[in-house]
């Protein structure tokens, strides 16, 4: 089962996407082509499948973080409840 992306803004400078993950849902493996910011709307754990292995990260609602272009991973909801974050890609 895949996470559900909803693009909220897509213009010359940014793409803003809300990602909704049912329990166990994932994004599928992907490479980020742009620098990005994640704004968690839910507190919980995401499992990251990365080329170097698998790890779990704790996210807190409202506590944003940023990553550079080139990140490769599959993001999986490791919680028993829906997890939501907003991703802001910088073009």
């Amino acid at each position: 089962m895949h996470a559900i992306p909803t693009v909220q803004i897509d213009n010359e400078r940014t793409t803003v996407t809300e990602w909704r993950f049912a329990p166990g849902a994932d994004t599928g493996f992907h490479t980020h082509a742009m620098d990005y910011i994640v704004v968690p709307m839910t507190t919980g754990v995401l499992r990251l499948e990365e080329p170097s292995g698998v790890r779990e990260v704790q996210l807190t609602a409202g506590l944003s973080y940023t990553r550079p272009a080139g990140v490769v991973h599959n993001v999986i909801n490791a919680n028993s409840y829906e997890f939501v974050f907003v991703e802001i890609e910088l073009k």
Side-chain angles (χ1 to χ4, degrees):
M1 172 186 336
H2 287 296
I4 300 170
T6 302
V7 175
Q8 297 177 342
I9 299 169
D10 189 11
N11 61 34
E12 65 281 349
R13 298 185 66 200
T14 60
T15 300
V16 178
T17 305
E18 177 192 72
W19 286 90
R20 290 193 167 269
F21 294 76
D26 71 339
T27 59
F29 269 97
H30 60 282
T31 302
H32 286 268
M34 297 171 264
D35 292 350
Y36 64 99
I37 300 159
V38 171
V39 183
M41 306 305 287
T42 309
T43 295
V45 176
L46 293 180
R47 182 173 299 117
L48 303 177
E49 294 179 340
E50 301 168 310
S52 61
V54 177
R55 64 187 177 106
E56 291 190 346
V57 294
Q58 175 72 40
L59 279 71
T60 301
L63 187 60
S64 304
Y65 65 89
T66 184
R67 297 289 182 265
V71 170
V72 178
H73 58 199
N74 179 27
V75 179
I76 305 161
N77 179 5
N79 304 288
S80 61
Y81 50 86
E82 181 181 64
F83 193 91
V84 179
F85 65 76
V86 173
E87 177 184 74
I88 304 161
E89 295 174 293
L90 307 173
K91 295 181 181 179

